[in-house]
Amino acid sequence: PVIASNPHSPTSRQSAPRPHLRSLLAILCVSGVSFLLALSSHQSAVLSSSVMSSTASEPSEASMGQCSLPGDSRKPSIFTKIIRREVPAKILYEDELVISFLGLPQNRVTPVQFLVVPKKQLATLEEANSCDEAALGRMFTVASLVAKQQGVTNGYRLVINNGNDAGQEVPHLHIHVFAGQPMSWPPGTD
């Protein structure tokens, strides 16, 4: 990691004061190298950088196009069909990264139950890479937002079934959100 604290260092740049910016953090991904930038009203400095690939000769995720939606030939999941509006669903929330919708009535086990799904069809967490971090994080914030919209005030459970042994039935990563009644731990016990 490179830490630039000297304003005269070649990795640090001074910028004109910007009164409308108090502080801003941004992460930049350029050719497999990420830079954390801190911008304030007085300066702009590179605080740290790290190489995402293990060797310099390996192509980065970004340069291989893995940050975009996959154009692979796999069969679209039922969730991808919901995203494309090919299958109806009661959509509760949608943005450019994720979608949330009610679970099927025949599959409900709690009074409030919905799913949060990334728009990129990742079969499991193992398919995710650093380019998917925004969508994965957004899934959790949307789960909280939709729970509030659904009137959940006393807690909820988030479940990710990742892989066959975990009981994953749809090959598209998703979060189940259960709420509206007291739940025991571990799941399935009274």
Side-chain angles (χ1 to χ4, degrees), residues 118-181:
K119 287 190 170 180
K120 179 178 177 183
Q121 186 173 326
L122 301 167
T124 62
L125 281 171
E126 286 72 28
E127 286 189 12
N129 60 50
S130 61
C131 297
D132 301 311
E133 290 174 359
L136 297 176
R138 186 76 178 138
M139 290 171 66
F140 287 92
T141 58
V142 167
S144 174
L145 175 77
V146 173
K148 289 176 192 168
Q149 290 174 346
Q150 295 294 303
V152 175
T153 59
N154 216 19
Y156 48 90
R157 178 169 290 163
L158 304 177
V159 175
I160 298 174
N161 297 319
N162 191 63
N164 292 334
D165 285 352
Q168 183 178 3
E169 294 178 358
V170 178
H172 191 144
L173 185 66
H174 56 284
I175 298 176
H176 296 268
V177 183
F178 300 101
Q181 70 183 37

Side-chain angles (χ1 to χ4, degrees), residues 88-112:
K90 172 69 173 150
I91 296 173
L92 304 173
Y93 177 90
E94 183 173 23
D95 64 23
E96 68 280 356
L97 297 175
V98 302
I99 189 168
S100 177
F101 48 88
L102 288 178
L104 297 173
Q106 64 268 25
N107 293 339
R108 290 214 183 108
V109 295
T110 58
V112 177

Side-chain angles (χ1 to χ4, degrees), residues 12-114:
S12 178
R13 285 188 351 218
Q14 290 290 346
S15 64
R18 296 181 184 161
H20 62 283
L21 290 176
R22 287 184 183 255
S23 66
L24 171 70
L25 289 178
I27 297 178
L28 237 313
C29 182
V30 180
S31 300
V33 179
S34 67
F35 298 92
L36 176 61
L37 303 174
L39 304 173
S40 70
S41 60
H42 301 293
Q43 65 180 349
S44 171
V46 176
L47 297 178
S48 67
S49 67
S50 62
V51 177
M52 289 182 198
S53 58
S54 59
T55 68
S57 62
E58 292 178 344
S60 70
E61 292 165 354
S63 68
M64 292 174 50
Q66 294 178 1
C67 290
S68 60
L69 291 174
D72 62 30
S73 60
R74 80 174 105 194
K75 180 180 175 184
S77 72
I78 186 71
F79 298 155
T80 296
K81 291 178 180 180
I82 289 171
I83 293 164
R84 294 177 181 168
R85 305 301 196 267
E86 295 169 1
V87 171
K90 172 69 173 150
I91 296 173
L92 304 173
Y93 177 90
E94 183 173 23
D95 64 23
E96 68 280 356
L97 297 175
V98 302
I99 189 168
S100 177
F101 48 88
L102 288 178
L104 297 173
Q106 64 268 25
N107 293 339
R108 290 214 183 108
V109 295
T110 58
V112 177
Q113 186 172 329
F114 59 91

